[in-house]
Amino acid sequence: MKIGNDVKEKAEILLRELTLEEKIGMIHGDGLFRTKAVERLGIPALYMSDGPMGVRAEFENAAWIPAGGTEDYVSYLPSNSAIASTWNRELAHACGSVLGEEARGRGKDVILAPGINIKRSPLNGRNFEYMSEDPYLTAEQCVPLIQGIQEHDVAACVKHFAVNSQETRRLWVDTEVDDRALREIYLPAFEAAVNRGGSYSIMGAYNLLRGEHCCESRFLLDGILRKEWGYEGAVISDWGAVHHTKEAALCSLDLEMSVTDNFDDYCMAQPLKKAVENGEVDEGAVDEKVRHILWLMLSLHMFDVDAERKVAVDTERKRGSYNTPAHREVTLQAARESVILLKNEEGRLPLEKEKLKKLLVIGRNADKIHSNGGGSAEIKALYEISPLMGLKTHLGGNCEVKYVEGYYGEDKQEDGTNWQEDSLKDGGGTGRQAEQVDAQTARKRKELLEEAVRYAGEYEQVVFVGGLDHEYDVEGRDRADMKLPYGQDEVIEAVLEANPNTVVIMVAGSPVEMGRWEKKAKAVVWSWYAGMEGGNALAEVLLGEVNPSGKLPESFPYSHKDCSAHCVGEFGEEKLLHYREGIYVGYRYYEKQNVPVQYCFGHGLSYTEFAYSDLAVEKQENAAEFYVNVSCIVKNTGNRTGKETVQLYVSDRTGKTEKPVKELRGYEKVDLAPGESRRVNIRLSRKDFAYFDEAAGDFAVNAGEYGILVGASLQDVRLIGRVTV
Ligand code: BGC
């Protein structure tokens, strides 16, 4: 991200006018979500807001007390996992554009999104906020999303930089990760976000990396971000992630934010002012931070500069808007393409809408609202269509839709406190204990199970809607395991026993164990937290009005114990966490070690069929670069219009370096009518063949032969080609 010279010159004019006190006010929180204005010079405060799924509700400036009122209801967007599972860059862009326009409409300058940390373990409580286990897919989906946000004179704040892959002890956990994994797995999406996406800001993570707090890290912020990547945007701390005045002052952090109301005591507030005054820190360090904040403000057209009067003056800035019908349409389109058909035997789905006279819907997630939970990603959704409502509205009055809860889980009691206020305690995050069930709960569950089974036997058409909720997919806490909570396994098994045609639908933000019932289910559908129109999108898929086209952006293992973070590396309580698995994260590990998974990366079925043919692999070379143009023909051979994501994986056959079996390096989504075919083109370049050579400290390409594998998922490779580079 580069800032123009005109902006830089204007910033210098203001910078020269600012007193130390005023500068300090611009580089730390003077409210929970804002900095201090410099009224004398016309410089406004910088207003920030969470988060990735919509613009968060207003809080009082100095307390985690919701402002209340009706004006902060907003459009609820599909989660980043959902956006990733569309494998559709245009949709990611459209979602970003909604988020940016709504943030601007709500008067915000910075939206604290998207979250792009790599999903290293299925147990991370915040996985729903992130995109994928794969750096390429994350990069490809987050770049247009960021660009969409920033079209509205609002800054994206891509987070959490970096290697922030668990919630347990999130403030204090120190990660040891080798250079190769850092460069190949954990950093590429951030590099793409700031360089290709042009993200005007980036949020430093809570955790430590190689002994340094990420928000005070010379290695990460000075070395990699500023020096190597040439980043000129603003670096904002996570809320409460700064611990030392001098370290923060002397590294490339620009703005310290936190969760407490003692704003003057923040490291980069009065303590930093004192350190400058007594000569411990050079004022130039403060200037550098203010400079970045001014560049950000000018880039967002928050003001212009009158060079003669040396003050900030009004300029034209986009005004934004929120809750528009067009925004809701985007959330619906994205939700539709995010639904993943995991399994569909005997053509169990779609349900035949016209013939459907009676439908039994079992499961609490059918009737549950999720938008108000999850931590900082929570929002006040204008509305949220539940799966039950989606089905009812689509089926209308001629079909009897019977709902039973199926399983019991306790809804959290609102006690008026905000978790964020306490979020710096106890290391800032915890692991979770396996579920404890008291006698009363057990009784309730038994009753609900019996009721569900009774009805399942009576109804011909049954869908079960379960999964997780934001008690499990939540900031500040990791899951103990991948087991379905609330005794759902028993219910699903029993219901499938009573009615083997039951369609099982999981609504969740991270994978769950399905081993106890998956083989018995004929159809399994996956929905992430899919935004305000999620229930409509799901109903349309179930009823065949929309042909599913989502593909898994992460592997679904049988159990977390199969995952490399747990069986090779370390996860959880240790103060020093070794990412011993290195680059073998997600499918890179499962494939290398032949570990079977429940559903593989890239998997997702359709109601139609696609045939792949005519692979062409052509090399194009000049002195500076080489390209490999890959193309193939995809044909819709079924009888419904549908979308297919053609995935391209590269495998190194040179044998010169230890590498994953294959790695995702390209994808294209095509929309095809029955019988229609199209040639899909994907261009690879040098970086797509490169690995990080630790000895050389740089990316390198092995000369020799590579496999070009094209297909419908990691395991469903349809065409194989070769190329020598
Ligand atoms: C989260 C950030 C969030 C910030 C502000 C922190 O707890 O880690 O993602 O943006 O709070 O709410």
Side-chain angles (χ1 to χ4, degrees), residues 464-671:
F464 175 92
V465 188
L468 300 173
D469 55 34
H470 286 309
E471 277 299 295
Y472 287 83
D473 289 311
V474 68
E475 179 173 341
R477 219 180 307 147
D478 295 316
R479 286 188 296 164
D481 51 42
M482 276 173 49
K483 291 198 189 337
L484 273 172
Y486 314 130
Q488 290 178 75
D489 278 330
E490 287 80 1
V491 183
I492 301 172
E493 267 191 310
V495 165
L496 279 168
E497 189 76 27
N499 186 332
N501 281 330
T502 303
V503 174
V504 182
I505 299 151
M506 291 283 115
V507 177
S510 28
V512 295
E513 282 182 25
M514 303 181 190
R516 278 184 56 179
W517 46 264
E518 195 270 350
K519 282 209 167 57
K520 295 174 204 153
K522 292 176 186 165
V524 184
V525 178
W526 187 268
S527 166
W528 306 97
Y529 302 117
M532 64 204 301
E533 291 285 341
N536 277 332
L538 183 64
E540 288 169 352
V541 167
L542 296 175
L543 300 172
E545 290 168 13
V546 163
N547 195 346
S549 66
K551 301 256 188 185
L552 283 181
E554 63 187 282
S555 315
F556 277 12
Y558 284 106
S559 148
H560 74 280
K561 291 179 190 145
D562 292 339
C563 163
S564 59
H566 299 273
C567 64
V568 182
E570 292 167 338
F571 182 92
E573 288 293 335
E574 286 83 1
K575 164 106 181 64
L576 185 64
L577 217 60
H578 295 94
Y579 282 26
R580 280 200 198 91
E581 70 283 3
I583 59 167
Y584 293 100
V585 174
Y587 70 82
R588 287 169 171 77
Y589 172 74
Y590 301 120
E591 213 177 20
K592 188 82 174 175
Q593 297 301 328
N594 275 311
V595 179
V597 293
Q598 183 80 66
Y599 295 110
C600 74
F601 180 82
H603 171 74
L605 304 172
S606 165
Y607 295 147
T608 187
E609 304 272 305
F610 299 97
Y612 288 61
S613 66
D614 286 61
L615 179 69
V617 181
E618 281 162 26
K619 207 167 67 176
Q620 202 188 331
E621 221 164 342
N622 60 41
E625 193 31 310
F626 70 85
Y627 298 99
V628 178
N629 298 318
V630 181
S631 73
C632 72
I633 289 179
V634 185
K635 182 173 183 185
N636 182 345
T637 54
N639 49 21
R640 271 171 194 268
T641 294
K643 294 185 179 172
E644 171 69 326
T645 297
V646 176
Q647 302 165 35
L648 190 164
Y649 297 85
V650 172
S651 93
D652 185 339
R653 302 172 54 84
T654 67
K656 291 176 184 159
T657 310
E658 162 76 23
K659 279 196 181 179
V661 176
K662 59 181 184 285
E663 295 178 279
L664 182 73
R665 292 291 186 236
Y667 61 90
E668 269 327 308
K669 194 165 188 174
V670 284
D671 189 2

Side-chain angles (χ1 to χ4, degrees), residues 28 64 99 128 253 284 309 414 418 454 466 497 597 604 668:
H28 76 273
W64 292 98
L99 189 56
F128 71 100
L253 177 77
R309 289 165 51 224
E414 294 290 338
N418 182 292
R454 197 166 64 242
E497 189 76 27
V597 293
E668 269 327 308

Side-chain angles (χ1 to χ4, degrees), residues 7-20:
V7 165
K8 289 184 176 173
E9 280 160 23
K10 287 175 185 171
E12 289 311 303
I13 296 172
L14 293 181
L15 187 57
R16 282 194 290 271
E17 298 303 306
L18 287 162
T19 65
L20 177 61

Side-chain angles (χ1 to χ4, degrees), residues 50 56 126 159-160 203 206 238-239 376 420 475:
D50 286 304
R56 196 175 178 187
R126 287 187 91 170
K159 63 192 188 184
H160 307 87
M203 187 187 292
Y206 277 130
D238 201 342
W239 270 230
S376 60
Q420 216 152 354
E475 179 173 341

